[in-house]
Structures are given as C-alpha cells and as structure tokens.
Amino acid sequence: MTTPNMTAPDQHLRRTPLRLALEKADARWTALEDIAIADGLGTVEGARHLAITDLSPLPRLGFKGRETISAMQKRGIVLEAIPNRAYRQPDGGLCLVLAASEVILLSPLAGDNGRLQGLHDTWRLDDGERTYPLLRSDSHAWFVVSGAKAPEMFAKICGVDLRLAKFPDLSIAQTSVAKLSAIVTRADIRDTPAFHILADSASALYFFDCLTDAAQEFGSTIACRTVLRNLESG
Amino acid sequence: MKILKCPLNGPRNITEFVWGGEMKPMPDPATATDAEWTEYLFLEENLAGEITEWWLHAPTNFWFVARRNTITDEIIETMTYDAFLARQQAASTATAPDEAEPAARPVTGGADTGATST
C-alpha cells in the first residue's frame, strides 16, 4: 500500500534510533519535517491491551536551572514546582517537572508546529535567565507503553510500583528500567493507561528489545503514532 | 534488595545509587598544601559509627546527603544538600562560633525537604 507522503528513514537528516527494529517489524514511514516516523503498525485494540510505540521522531526539549519554573510559566507553559509531576498542556503536549530546577517538554502526538524549536531558538544567554535549554531529542529516545497490561509488564523490569492505583495519572518516576536509567511518566490517553518512557537514545535498541521481550508473554504488539492518535480521538 | 530513600525521588533500590564518599570540608585549593589536598581527595576517615556521606541517585544525577551507621550499615536519614546546609546554619547560630559543629557532622535529626536545584 502506498500513500502520497510515504518515505524512508534514510531520506531524512535525522532518524529514530529504533529504525532497524521498526524496519524489521515492517513499518511504513511517514515524513515528519526532517525525520521519518513509523506508521502502519498495531491496532487500537492492541494499544488498549499492551503495545509499545516509538515516538522518538516527535519534538521534545528540556530546560534546567534554578529559575526554570518561572521561566517556563513566563513562556505560557502550564506547570507548578512539584517534582516528579507531569502537566498536560492546552495543545495536548506534556510538561514533565523532574525537579524544581528541571523540566522536559513533550510535543503533542500531532506534532507541535515548531513550538518547542521556537522555545529553543528564542532563548538567549544574554537575557540572564537562570535557565538553559537541553536538547532531549538527541539524548533521549521516547517510547510509549500503553494498555491495561502495562503495569504487569513493568513489574518484571522496574523496581518502582507502577500499578495504576499506586502510580496515578501524571506521576513521574525517574528510575531504572531494564537496568537503564529512565524517566517513566504516566499520562493516560483517554481511558487507556499510557506510560511515556524517556531513556538513553544510544541504548534505545537494547531497551526496545527488553521491552518487547518482557511484554511478549502478555500478547503485546508494536504500535505507531497513528494508533495512539486514534486512541486519543476516541 | 536494600532500599535507600532519595530526598527527591523517594524509596528506590540501592542499585540505583552511587556512593560519593564522606562529607568533609574542602580546603582552599589556592592555599592548601599538597598533603592537605591529597588527604581531601583520597583519604577517608573510615569512622566506625555514624557518618555523613554524599550519595548520588544515578537516574536523576541527584546528589544528596545521607547519615549512615558504618557498624550496622543502617541509613539513619537522607536529606537534600539545601536541608543539610540549613541544619548546619541552625546549629552554628545555636552554638558559639568557636564551638560550631564541623561541616560533616549535623547535630540533630530532621525530616526530608523538597527537591533542591542542581
């Protein structure tokens, strides 16, 4: 099947670190500015049960520094100075408050029309704000583990209790998953539990292997952004 | 699995943490002798009993302070560095300046505080 905007990862300047694994899973690819994002994988039913999705091609940006919270509020980001808490943004994105001095901003599933890049580009050292941007798109891969079976799967590879009653929506755990440092954020998509994971991009293939291996016994699938968007739109 | 309580992230497996050495006052690098600087960098007091140490929560790169009993290997308490400094200041104002506690010996127990900036 072909669609007008089908593409291939090597036709773009940037690539998801999971390109090889997703190619093996027979992903189709859609252009997203300067990167290709996997498509044609998984189903909404699968995502409600247990699915792993790569969102690494979507924009994300960090800020760090003692005045980060006020600097973000000045930029219209919705957040409070509560560490390990996520905030949904009016555009559908997420703001993860990792500490009183550090945040990560995640794009909405639909993309952010260059908003995060704009925040990065308009930051000036000369402004003297005690905050500075961090290029989290380069440092961290971005996965979503969705579905009712996700907490059970995480119990195999993560020491933190991620059961839905113990780890409510918009909680964050900065911990070790499959022996790799990871930021785990629960941000449900409508009524489907969804855990966003940010982990070292250089170890992304290893991490993806660990996730798919741990999830296999629960009948997991690999999904794509389109499936999550369908989940989001109901 | 041993559990250590990070002041920022809460209880976590001990495998998520890295020991950072005993807390001790840093000599002035400009005026310290080679012997003093070497002692600061490489030599530990290795006290048998309650000591104050640096610990790192590796997934967040968050440094904090812990008091630990080296005989029982029990973690007595953990706190942010800001909380540690506040306690030091409270102790030094309550004590005459020449009798103030050294930097590595907080004198009272205390609760955790929120996150500190890095």
Side-chain angles (χ1 to χ4, degrees), chain A residues 86-109:
Chain A
Y87 294 85
R88 287 195 174 87
Q89 302 302 302
D91 68 355
L94 286 169
C95 172
L96 320 184
V97 179
L98 304 182
S101 58
E102 185 172 2
V103 303
I104 293 183
L105 307 169
L106 302 180
S107 154
L109 291 173

Side-chain angles (χ1 to χ4, degrees), chain A residues 64 66 84 174-176 181, chain B residues 8-9 16 57 59-60 117-118:
Chain A
K64 194 169 182 178
R66 280 193 178 262
N84 289 321
Q174 301 176 72
T175 184
S176 179
S181 290
Chain B
L8 173 61
N9 297 285
E16 293 189 18
H57 181 242
T60 49
S117 299
T118 51

